[in-house]
Amino acid sequence: MSRPTLNFGRRLVIGVPFVWLVLFFLLPFIIVLKISFSEAAVAIPPYTEVFGYVEQKLQIVINLGNYIFLSEDELYLAAYLGSLKVAFVSTLACLLIGYPMAYAIARARKDLQTVLLLLIMMPTWTAILIRVYAWMGILSSNGILNELLLGLGLIDEPLRILNTELAVYIGVVYSYLPFMVLPLYANLVKHDASLLEAASDLGARDLTSFWKITVPLSKNGIIAGCMLVFIPVVGEFVIPELLGGPETLMIGKVLWQEFFNNRDWPVAASLAVLMLAILLVPIILFNRNQAKELEGKL
């Protein structure tokens, strides 16, 4: 095979992901960014044009009022803070629950690991909307959970769990737990067991060996799992909408209301751009950590 043919094949293989990113990420983002600098209007689509060509003149009208409005309204600030709080607490809960699960799977017999991983992944094969509706039936006042607690005599009257912040946390942790377990398992299964044996021979207790050897070695898996949970939870809409109540204020819910209820596309686009800017911070930190790890290995 000639060198020009090889070069063309390499460029084609490398270029396909870039074309995908341009078409399905960069181009939609540019459109949303453009809408965020427009003004709401009674039209279809419901916003004014940023670029116009009138009397052989190209006119560019950039409206910064949407971003100024968001900075002055405490509702949107509360929505951002609420989303970050739910994402942080949910990520921490997924880590505390998922790490022991991943550790147990990594230490299980080889023939059993595949079965355990399959059990972790199986819920994700069902649409998230169906799973959230199932949790509505479990957490409602006459649902399975309250019926069980009443039957055991642990409570005298049904607990109000549905349409609360607690229900949101339960739904989020349940839905995103596999995204924490899988990268942790992929990291833990590669650990050299002889390191723990050497520590035990030197007199270290199991808990000490775990904190001094296993946890530091699994740092990359922890960071990857946290990123896979935290980033999508910030913009989560379905779970807060169906399981949360009026006091559950998250940016995904506000975005939906601005787009479809208020039909204020410019403000909604501004919310989306700011949310992406916030999410860039953990992404950049993650990339820097990965770059340092690669430099250390070279």
Side-chain angles (χ1 to χ4, degrees):
M1 188 177 292
S2 63
R3 185 175 293 274
T5 305
L6 283 174
N7 290 335
F8 174 76
R10 290 173 182 173
R11 290 174 183 173
L12 182 63
V13 172
I14 296 174
V16 169
F18 283 99
V19 172
W20 179 275
L21 288 174
V22 169
L23 289 178
F24 297 101
F25 176 75
L26 184 60
L27 187 59
F29 173 73
I30 291 174
I31 295 173
V32 172
L33 183 64
K34 181 179 75 72
I35 295 174
S36 71
F37 289 119
S38 64
E39 296 183 19
V42 182
I44 299 176
Y47 58 86
T48 59
E49 290 296 332
V50 174
F51 302 99
Y53 189 76
V54 181
E55 297 179 356
Q56 299 181 346
K57 295 179 182 179
L58 178 63
Q59 297 180 346
I60 303 176
V61 181
I62 296 178
N63 174 35
L64 300 177
N66 299 318
Y67 293 96
I68 296 173
F69 173 70
L70 294 181
S71 65
E72 295 175 346
D73 197 321
E74 295 182 357
L75 172 67
Y76 301 107
L77 178 61
Y80 281 116
L81 293 178
S83 297
L84 292 174
K85 184 188 77 169
V86 171
F88 176 78
V89 174
S90 301
T91 302
L92 183 60
C94 285
L95 179 60
L96 294 177
I97 298 171
Y99 197 102
M101 294 174 65
Y103 186 83
I105 296 173
R107 294 294 175 266
R109 299 195 317 267
K110 293 295 182 182
D111 58 334
L112 193 58
Q113 288 182 8
T114 304
V115 177
L116 295 175
L117 287 174
L118 196 61
L119 292 175
I120 295 292
M121 290 297 299
M122 280 180 64
T124 63
W125 299 347
T126 307
I128 186 172
L129 193 61
I130 297 175
R131 288 183 282 147
V132 173
Y133 270 117
W135 274 107
M136 292 175 66
I138 295 172
L139 301 177
S140 62
S141 298
N142 57 349
I144 298 173
L145 181 60
N146 274 308
E147 291 292 335
L148 178 62
L149 295 176
L150 288 170
L152 295 174
L154 298 177
I155 57 175
D156 298 326
E157 57 182 15
L159 299 175
R160 182 178 176 268
I161 304 176
L162 188 62
N163 298 328
T164 64
E165 200 168 80
L166 176 61
V168 175
Y169 285 122
I170 293 173
V172 169
V173 171
Y174 164 78
S175 299
Y176 287 93
L177 186 60
F179 299 100
M180 179 67 75
V181 173
L182 293 180
L184 284 172
Y185 163 78
N187 181 279
L188 291 168
V189 77
K190 298 176 183 177
H191 289 190
D192 189 354
S194 62
L195 296 175
L196 296 177
E197 294 175 1
S200 178
D201 293 339
L202 293 173
R205 297 180 178 179
D206 292 342
L207 186 60
T208 303
S209 300
F210 176 78
W211 283 111
K212 294 293 183 65
I213 298 175
T214 304
V215 173
L217 289 176
S218 59
K219 183 181 70 173
N220 287 342
I222 292 173
I223 295 174
C226 289
M227 292 297 102
L228 287 175
V229 174
F230 182 87
I231 292 174
V233 171
V234 171
E236 181 61 50
F237 165 72
V238 174
I239 297 173
E241 177 69 17
L242 297 180
L243 298 182
E247 70 280 359
T248 305
L249 191 61
M250 292 184 67
I251 199 63
K253 192 173 181 179
V254 176
L255 267 171
W256 173 273
Q257 292 174 347
E258 292 293 346
F259 262 118
F260 297 100
N261 294 347
N262 300 338
R263 288 188 59 80
D264 195 340
W265 287 23
V267 170
S270 304
L271 283 168
V273 171
L274 287 178
M275 183 177 69
L276 182 60
I278 292 172
L279 293 179
L280 281 176
V281 175
I283 294 173
I284 292 172
L285 293 176
F286 175 69
N287 287 335
R288 285 184 177 179
N289 178 76
Q290 292 296 100
K292 289 181 181 179
E293 291 292 332
L294 290 175
E295 290 176 1
K297 292 179 180 179
L298 294 177

